[in-house]
Amino acid sequence: MKKIVWMLQVAVLYGFTWVVALVPERLAERFGVWTGLLLRRILGSRRRIAEQNISRVLEHMRAQPEWTCTIPTAEGIAREVFCNLGRSLVETCRLYHGKGGGLIDRIEVRGRDYYDAARAQGKGIIFLTGHCGNWELVALAYARLFKQPLSVVARRQNNPYLNTMVERMRQHYDNSVIYKDNALKNMIAVIRRNGTVGLLVDQTVFPEEGYLVDFLGRPAWASKAPVLIARKTGVAIVPAFIHREAGRHVIEIHPPLQFEGSADEQGWCDDVKTYSRIIEQFIVAHPTEWYWVHRRWKRTEGL
């Protein structure tokens, strides 16, 4: 029975991607907004998570120098978050059917010199990012923009048919997938071939997988994986984020991170804080383009 349900889920999703791909490009933006607002209505529990997350850190964000958002309420910001998710879903569906080439061509890359300098070191690159903007677009556009394949760390889908569908799309854009169940070994193998790994590290982890840091003014568990890999291999950790600006996407690459903490637990925690601050700065500058529907502060209530 489960197999039949999985197949039906994929059939419905694939049909949706075809419908979206048939939408004229001039209407794709509007269709994406409608899709996001529909998701907001259907996914009431996720909407409430987003509004609660934003309301708890809104005062902290407003006090930061990167804050320029003019939306006054958590509810208003959350609404725009769903609009961004809808736009991103539509864009990704169109790319799945090969109709997003113009979207990739319009991407602006800022900070390209940081990438080129890191590549010249010959020790591989970790593109450190988060669920920001249309994060799937970064992966799908990478090979065209940087003339290199990208290995993406991802969670294996519970539905194996959906997993195959997603894999095929990524491979069509010269991506390979590293699954989290054996991620460290495979990431190191890619890095030692001077390859690039895309790593999203803005979601909560179990305590044994990271350190407790201050994130947007509240304690949160953050992954130690980037620090572990950097210390083990010498790979360049290059933060890169995508956001929407003036009708196009902008990928902004930051200088490689320097993890200079001591060898003890406090030193590791300090290095985790270093990369977490970069992610915080993006969220404050672009609050409607982060994945607020995730329980980022899980397992820290009362701390």
Side-chain angles (χ1 to χ4, degrees):
M1 185 64 183
K2 182 182 289 187
K3 183 177 179 180
I4 295 173
V5 172
W6 281 340
M7 292 176 70
L8 286 173
Q9 287 175 344
V10 171
V12 170
L13 179 59
Y14 188 77
F16 175 76
T17 68
W18 261 116
V19 170
V20 172
L22 294 173
V23 173
E25 186 172 3
R26 68 181 185 279
L27 299 178
E29 167 84 8
R30 190 180 304 174
F31 190 80
V33 171
W34 291 341
T35 300
L37 294 176
L38 179 61
L39 291 173
R40 177 177 177 268
R41 181 174 294 273
I42 294 172
L43 304 176
S45 62
R46 289 295 170 178
R47 183 188 72 245
R48 289 187 289 273
I49 290 171
E51 291 174 354
Q52 184 180 68
N53 280 340
I54 297 167
S55 65
R56 288 180 173 179
V57 300
L58 187 54
E59 183 176 350
H60 173 85
M61 291 196 296
R62 284 174 175 159
Q64 306 309 306
E66 296 87 6
W67 180 262
T68 59
C69 181
T70 58
I71 302 174
T73 65
E75 292 77 10
I77 294 173
R79 182 183 187 278
E80 290 303 311
V81 168
F82 276 94
C83 289
N84 177 67
L85 290 174
R87 294 185 191 101
S88 299
L89 177 59
V90 167
E91 289 165 347
T92 304
C93 289
R94 291 176 61 80
L95 285 164
Y96 185 90
H97 293 286
K99 296 192 175 184
L103 180 69
I104 293 175
D105 291 339
R106 291 192 297 272
I107 295 174
E108 178 185 350
V109 179
R110 297 174 185 167
R112 179 66 181 257
D113 289 349
Y114 297 128
Y115 170 86
D116 291 339
R119 171 65 60 198
Q121 294 177 12
K123 295 183 178 181
I125 294 175
I126 285 184
F127 249 38
L128 184 144
T129 189
H131 295 80
C132 308
N134 186 346
W135 62 89
E136 283 288 349
L137 178 59
V138 177
L140 299 178
Y142 185 90
R144 185 181 299 187
L145 295 174
F146 298 100
K147 313 304 179 186
Q148 295 282 339
L150 178 68
S151 297
V152 181
V153 180
R155 182 181 68 84
R156 196 182 300 273
Q157 300 293 325
N158 295 330
N159 182 333
Y161 302 103
L162 175 60
N163 203 74
T164 299
M165 178 178 165
V166 173
E167 265 193 10
R168 285 176 177 170
M169 179 179 70
R170 286 175 168 160
Q171 290 168 358
H172 180 71
Y173 286 89
D174 292 330
N175 286 183
S176 60
V177 182
I178 296 174
Y179 290 111
K180 288 186 176 181
D181 45 8
N182 197 20
L184 183 59
K185 177 182 177 181
N186 291 326
M187 280 192 286
I188 290 174
V190 171
I191 289 164
R192 286 180 172 163
R193 297 195 299 269
N194 196 26
T196 302
V197 174
L199 190 59
L200 289 84
V201 286
D202 58 336
Q203 296 194 341
T204 191
V205 297
F206 289 101
E208 62 270 20
E209 298 173 339
Y211 290 92
L212 195 63
V213 301
D214 183 89
F215 192 77
L216 295 176
R218 297 178 61 203
W221 291 103
S223 174
K224 62 184 176 184
V227 180
L228 173 64
I229 298 168
R231 292 190 178 204
K232 189 175 184 67
T233 67
V235 64
I237 307 292
V238 180
F241 305 96
I242 188 169
H243 68 273
R244 299 175 189 275
E245 184 178 307
R248 69 187 188 285
H249 292 273
V250 175
I251 296 175
E252 189 159 358
I253 302 173
H254 296 255
L257 296 179
Q258 302 297 319
F259 291 147
E260 299 175 335
S262 56
D264 58 14
E265 290 293 303
Q266 185 57 54
W268 279 74
C269 186
D270 288 343
D271 285 345
V272 171
K273 291 177 181 177
T274 294
Y275 85 70
S276 295
R277 279 195 293 270
I278 300 293
I279 299 172
E280 281 185 301
Q281 289 169 4
F282 174 90
I283 296 169
V284 173
H286 308 281
T288 64
E289 297 195 53
W290 189 55
Y291 195 67
W292 290 97
V293 301
H294 167 69
R295 293 187 182 275
R296 181 64 184 91
W297 292 273
K298 190 176 181 179
R299 291 182 288 272
T300 62
E301 296 298 330
L303 295 178

